[in-house]
Amino acid sequence: MIATGDIHVTRPWKIAIVGFGKIACEQHRPAIADSPDFQLAAIISSSAHAVDVPVFRTLEDAFASGLALDAVALCTPPQVRQEVCDLATARGLAVLLEKPPAATVAQAQALAAMGSSRGVTVFAGWHSRFAPFVEEARTWCAAHDGLHGRIEWHEDHLKWHPGQAWLWQLGGLGVLDPGINSLSILTVIRPGAWHLSGAAFEQPENADTPRAARFSLGRNGDHVDVSFRFAENTSETWSIQLRAENGDVLHLADGGAALSLNGGAFRRKANAEYAGVYRRFAELMRSGQCDVDTAALCLTEEAFRTAEITLVEPVTI
């Protein structure tokens, strides 16, 4: 266990992944393996298998074993993060929160307060902000006024969230769980006080969260229409298109891994979002800082608060 602001501590830091679903297995685990800053020391899961590190059912079991840890990556559903974050920060461990950091803004702020009050890092790892062309898009936006555009985030939930019933329960966000990735990008490339209007949800009869969502976002002369949709066995799109008042056009595609300007050919780069997440986490640990941005979660919460809901046929979980 370390003081996260102590830059002289020998690395790599020992980290445990808490919750071992699809994203933890396919994104967090290889990112940690490739990181010079972290070493995977344990997995906390009731179902993990075929792994080459110790597996514990609970974080308390890991502590009871005497395992030395410096950090945890919380990849559990957002509804259960508070208790685990409390346990970890009380032991002086830094905490990385998979997106969304919590089910509500208030809960996310409470997690940040845990880290600040205990002098350890808590980081909301909005992974889409580390897509290859997000920084270039931010520079473009800063140089343009009067942006109007459209976000389309359409994907197959059975492919990306197989068997994950929590997605359809209160706090699970439904289609806004992937959709919030686009909001995390928009609020960093065009920071400021965005407001939301006209929210409409399509909600399955057997769910508490929507399978489709539409709304509009506005900010100081900017206007963006948003469409999120779960669609089984159809083409997927993760797209942000913006047109400035001078006619210039920016199109981020593939979640930020492709960029076209003014209708030109797309430039593409290999996506290494989670490598960026862990680099940022290490920077925060070295400086002893917390970073729990809630801009995207605020907009999501506003959509849930104001949406007109249309009930539709039950969803396959």
Side-chain angles (χ1 to χ4, degrees):
M1 190 159 38
I2 66 170
T4 57
D6 186 351
I7 63 173
H8 303 296
V9 173
T10 301
R11 288 173 292 159
W13 292 312
K14 292 181 172 58
I15 188 169
I17 297 175
V18 183
F20 202 61
K22 182 180 178 68
I23 296 300
C25 180
E26 296 182 359
Q27 300 293 344
H28 286 264
R29 187 182 183 189
I32 292 168
D34 291 339
S35 171
D37 297 301
F38 296 97
Q39 176 185 345
L40 184 61
I43 290 170
I44 314 301
S45 171
S46 60
S47 59
H49 60 277
V51 295
D52 54 2
V53 295
V55 177
F56 301 92
R57 289 186 60 85
T58 68
L59 194 56
E60 294 98 323
D61 290 343
F63 292 151
S65 76
L67 180 70
L69 290 173
D70 303 308
V72 292
L74 299 194
C75 302
T76 63
Q79 299 97 316
V80 300
R81 300 258 176 91
Q82 188 157 352
E83 180 180 356
V84 183
C85 188
D86 190 15
L87 285 169
T89 56
R91 291 271 186 150
L93 306 187
V95 176
L96 167 61
L97 302 166
E98 174 59 66
K99 69 83 197 168
T104 68
V105 173
Q107 290 174 12
Q109 292 170 338
L111 300 185
M114 286 181 191
S116 296
S117 65
R118 291 166 174 169
V120 295
T121 292
V122 175
F123 173 42
W126 296 103
H127 62 84
S128 289
R129 290 183 170 181
F130 297 91
F133 288 103
V134 167
E135 181 59 25
E136 185 171 341
R138 186 195 66 78
T139 300
W140 185 94
C141 287
H144 291 82
D145 296 319
L147 303 183
H148 286 68
R150 181 170 180 81
I151 292 174
E152 292 183 334
W153 230 252
H154 300 169
E155 68 179 44
D156 185 345
H157 75 278
L158 294 178
K159 174 181 177 182
W160 298 103
H161 300 278
Q164 296 180 7
W166 63 267
L167 186 72
W168 303 102
Q169 299 166 356
L170 288 176
L173 301 187
V175 75
L176 281 93
D177 179 78
I180 202 171
N181 291 330
S182 70
L183 303 182
S184 76
I185 293 174
L186 182 67
T187 52
V188 77
I189 66 175
R190 193 65 158 177
W194 287 93
H195 61 271
L196 181 148
S197 62
F201 287 176
E202 293 179 9
Q203 184 169 306
E205 295 174 345
N206 62 335
D208 299 313
T209 58
R211 74 173 188 189
R214 292 180 288 105
F215 50 86
S216 295
L217 298 173
R219 170 204 172 277
N220 295 338
D222 299 337
H223 181 91
V224 177
D225 292 320
V226 178
S227 171
F228 299 153
R229 180 170 295 279
F230 281 144
E232 299 174 23
N233 302 315
T234 60
S235 59
E236 298 178 307
T237 181
W238 301 276
S239 169
I240 300 175
Q241 299 183 62
L242 300 172
R243 178 182 293 273
E245 64 183 12
N246 71 349
D248 287 348
V249 177
L250 174 142
H251 186 182
L252 276 175
D254 297 342
L259 175 68
S260 168
L261 296 177
N262 299 326
F266 276 99
R267 288 180 285 139
R268 301 179 185 274
K269 293 182 180 179
N271 211 334
E273 294 176 357
Y274 282 86
V277 167
Y278 279 92
R279 283 195 300 270
R280 176 60 176 157
F281 189 32
E283 291 172 358
L284 291 167
M285 287 180 64
R286 283 191 288 269
S287 62
Q289 295 179 309
C290 293
D291 179 1
V292 182
D293 184 90
T294 59
L297 191 57
C298 283
L299 293 173
T300 298
E301 195 169 85
E302 182 69 5
F304 271 93
R305 189 181 68 82
T306 62
E308 294 186 2
I309 297 174
T310 299
L311 293 178
V312 295
E313 64 274 12
V315 68
T316 301
I317 299 175

